[in-house]
Amino acid sequence: MKFTEEHEWLRVEGDVVVVGITEHASEQLGDVVFVELPEVGGEVAKDDEVVVIESVKAASDILAPLDGEITEVNEALVDEPGKVNDDPMGDAWFFKIKASDLSQMDDYMDEAAYKDFIG
Amino acid sequence: MSDALRQTPLHALHVELGAKMVPFAGYDMPVQYKLGVMKEHLHCRAAAGLFDVSHMGQVIVRAPGGYDEVARAMEGLVPVSVLGLAEGRQRYAMFTNDRGGIMDDLMLANRGDHLFVVVNAACKAADIAHMRAGLPGCEVDEITDRALLALQGPKAEAVLARLVPDVAGMRFMDVAVKVSQFGELWISRSGYTGEDGYEISVTADQAEGFARALLAEDEVEPIGLGARDSLRLEGGLCLYGHDIDEGTTPVEAALSWAIQKVRRAGGDRAGGFPGADVILEQLDNGAPRKRVGLRPEGRAPMREGTQIYASAEGGEAIGHVTSGAFGPTIGGPMSMGYVPSDHAAEGTELFGDVRGKRLPVTVAALPFTPANFKR
């Protein structure tokens, strides 16, 4: 698993990368009340804003960590946004992306580096 | 100039309880505790929540002629009946400016020979200066050696009655002084959550002991400013600086209920407060715009600043959201904002611009959750 400075986790599953937010990010956000997901089939570029998360406090964005095509989104989050707080590293993934250049993954931190990053 | 944040007498307790502290109106205040905003909100609606509102201003106004003289003077600053306020009763009021705008909203209590005033933290200094300048012959004293706690929720009465005798007999907006093991408590049966409950002024040196005694009761959890905001919004209550300000009149803000007949045109003490010409005219003929409740369709909150449109496409914005959040009790998003009066009827379909998309929103009755006051 890799981690971005925006507190996303990336897990490679076959030819797609699953993207979610970390436990740390979920705690910082507070109670999540709304999630707006991207469209399946859409082409995104690295750093595009692809997901909007509304917590009780504020709206935040999730950026696309890689160039590629969105192949699947986690529809369960639409009805149960609170899953993002309950299980951010597991069931509450946001989208899967078919990366056009998997070497972009090399830019990201491993778990130990991420732990150092959040201190 | 120092940027140091002020601390309430309960600051150390908040930190000990694991609160997340944030700057608010010049104070270092708890925005949430370990439960988190959502659970704190629901706990307050189901049982009892303890809030530190010591940042708010507590002011005593006296005059040589006693309550009548103070009340008469205060009626020169607020559009409400202060002379008509019975002893031991409290009333919601607002300071107005010459344009009829609201300088602050506040609570006034008749405590026999003087007036007890509670004002918002952010407006405290300006309000005190305003009273000193505008209340001839009166002595205006800020009370700086007392904390202010709010105990809110359906279990508040049962909890407080264990520590302080005969608070159960108080009705909504009654005020009383009670002697307790925590010294002299100034209690009002009021709050700002839409729930039954009390606000209790306690001396600074007794505040922590009193708060700990309340928190030791099973029903009570500490509640931060985050849930205080969502509770008051569900309760349809205005937040100063957001839903009301110097540019909104009480009539526009749907606060006409706070202006008693005696201060309106034809009343015995009509007018005589700043902006009376504007406010009395609007009371008779209506205001061009009005504060309304707004229920967005779907789950996306429409937050403060969201522009409101009459149609799904085209046209200029007709209004805007002044407070918006997710309502934990109602299980959906809720907002308040201003729209033209001809678009203010309950059920009117409007559109809010959320990140460039116009999403449907319906004008809704306030409060979003029914008030639970013991009248």
Side-chain angles (χ1 to χ4, degrees):
Chain A
M1 204 180 261
K2 294 276 197 148
F3 297 85
T4 75
E5 290 188 4
E6 279 75 40
H7 307 285
E8 293 154 84
W9 54 259
L10 315 178
R11 190 174 67 228
V12 181
E13 279 183 1
D15 64 346
V16 299
V17 179
V18 188
V19 180
I21 61 167
T22 65
E23 191 88 45
H24 173 79
S26 152
E27 279 170 19
Q28 294 297 312
L29 282 171
D31 303 308
V32 173
V33 296
F34 172 76
V35 174
E36 188 176 296
L37 294 166
E39 283 188 20
V40 172
E43 292 284 338
V44 297
K46 185 173 180 292
D47 295 339
D48 281 355
E49 293 165 5
V50 286
V51 173
V52 177
I53 306 176
E54 296 257 11
S55 70
V56 290
K57 294 175 206 156
S60 337
D61 296 312
I62 297 185
L63 308 181
L66 309 161
D67 300 334
E69 181 192 335
I70 303 288
T71 58
E72 196 179 338
V73 296
N74 189 354
E75 295 283 356
L77 299 183
V78 175
D79 293 327
E80 284 186 77
K83 277 176 181 270
V84 177
N85 299 113
D86 297 339
D87 194 12
M89 308 289 285
D91 276 355
W93 55 276
F94 286 90
F95 57 89
K96 296 182 184 179
I97 185 168
K98 189 171 177 186
S100 45
D101 176 8
L102 264 180
S103 74
Q104 285 177 322
M105 289 284 281
D106 301 342
D107 299 343
Y108 295 123
M109 295 174 271
D110 61 17
E111 189 167 0
Y114 180 70
K115 278 190 173 153
D116 282 347
F117 175 69
I118 59 175
Chain B
M1 201 171 87
S2 168
D3 287 336
L5 291 170
R6 299 172 71 179
Q7 298 183 352
T8 75
L10 297 181
H11 188 271
L13 179 60
H14 298 317
V15 172
E16 180 187 318
L17 292 170
K20 183 175 176 199
M21 306 297 287
V22 297
F24 182 82
Y27 285 80
D28 192 33
M29 296 296 287
V31 66
Q32 64 176 75
Y33 298 85
K34 286 176 183 163
L35 277 183
V37 176
M38 191 93 80
K39 290 196 179 90
E40 288 174 26
H41 179 117
L42 294 170
H43 182 87
C44 187
R45 289 260 183 261
L50 182 67
F51 304 75
D52 181 10
V53 288
S54 305
H55 56 309
M56 294 174 68
Q58 304 182 62
V59 182
I60 282 180
V61 188
R62 296 177 189 277
Y67 184 79
D68 277 11
E69 186 182 349
V70 177
R72 209 170 287 278
M74 186 59 87
E75 288 195 355
L77 299 182
V78 301
V80 311
S81 171
V82 191
L83 270 167
L85 184 59
E87 184 172 345
R89 295 286 291 163
Q90 176 175 267
R91 178 165 277 173
Y92 179 75
M94 60 283 285
F95 291 130
T96 50
N97 62 27
D98 290 339
R99 301 182 308 283
I102 301 170
M103 294 169 64
D104 195 11
D105 61 343
L106 59 141
M107 285 291 186
L108 298 177
N110 176 349
R111 299 212 306 181
D113 62 347
H114 67 270
L115 196 58
F116 179 57
V117 184
V118 178
V119 300
N120 282 305
C123 304
K124 184 156 64 174
D127 288 344
I128 289 167
H130 183 60
M131 285 189 276
R132 287 194 174 132
L135 298 175
C138 297
E139 189 186 315
V140 176
D141 289 324
E142 183 182 4
I143 306 299
T144 54
D145 59 352
R146 298 184 79 93
L148 192 64
L149 276 61
L151 184 69
Q152 299 280 291
K155 303 286 173 65
E157 178 189 285
V159 168
L160 191 61
R162 281 174 218 147
L163 301 177
V164 185
D166 23 280
V167 291
M170 295 174 72
R171 288 175 305 141
F172 182 56
M173 290 294 207
D174 277 353
V175 298
V177 173
K178 305 276 186 195
V179 177
S180 77
Q181 58 178 306
F182 307 100
E184 188 180 273
L185 304 176
W186 302 348
I187 304 178
S188 70
R189 190 151 198 173
S190 66
Y192 217 60
T193 59
E195 288 301 319
D196 179 31
Y198 302 85
E199 288 194 349
I200 308 133
S201 172
V202 53
T203 57
D205 58 344
Q206 296 273 5
E208 189 177 316
F210 181 53
R212 284 185 190 278
L214 290 168
L215 290 168
E217 300 296 320
D218 284 347
E219 298 95 330
V220 182
E221 289 288 343
I223 313 289
L225 291 174
R228 185 168 175 83
D229 190 52
S230 53
L231 286 159
R232 70 90 200 163
L233 178 51
E234 272 188 352
L237 301 166
C238 291
L239 180 61
Y240 191 79
H242 300 261
D243 309 298
I244 48 177
D245 58 32
E246 293 195 1
T248 53
T249 71
V251 181
E252 290 173 330
L255 297 171
S256 302
W257 57 267
I259 305 176
Q260 288 75 28
K261 211 174 160 188
V262 70
R263 305 301 312 275
R264 299 187 183 203
D268 283 350
R269 297 191 308 284
F273 50 86
D277 50 340
V278 176
I279 293 168
L280 296 185
E281 192 274 329
Q282 288 187 351
L283 280 169
D284 280 343
N285 302 315
R289 60 177 191 153
K290 197 181 163 203
R291 176 176 64 95
V292 295
L294 296 163
R295 284 299 304 267
E297 260 178 41
R299 290 185 69 97
M302 291 185 187
R303 296 190 188 273
E304 181 173 2
T306 300
Q307 296 296 301
I308 300 292
Y309 293 83
S311 56
E313 287 173 18
E316 298 286 313
I318 60 165
H320 65 282
V321 169
T322 51
S323 282
F326 185 85
T329 315
I330 60 175
M334 57 178 175
S335 299
M336 294 199 299
Y338 284 85
V339 297
S341 294
D342 56 356
H343 289 77
E346 200 181 318
T348 304
E349 301 272 351
L350 299 171
F351 297 86
D353 183 306
V354 179
R355 293 178 285 274
K357 276 185 234 161
R358 286 198 198 171
L359 304 179
V361 59
T362 305
V363 176
L366 292 173
F368 295 108
T369 47
N372 194 18
F373 305 136
K374 295 288 179 288
R375 292 189 194 275

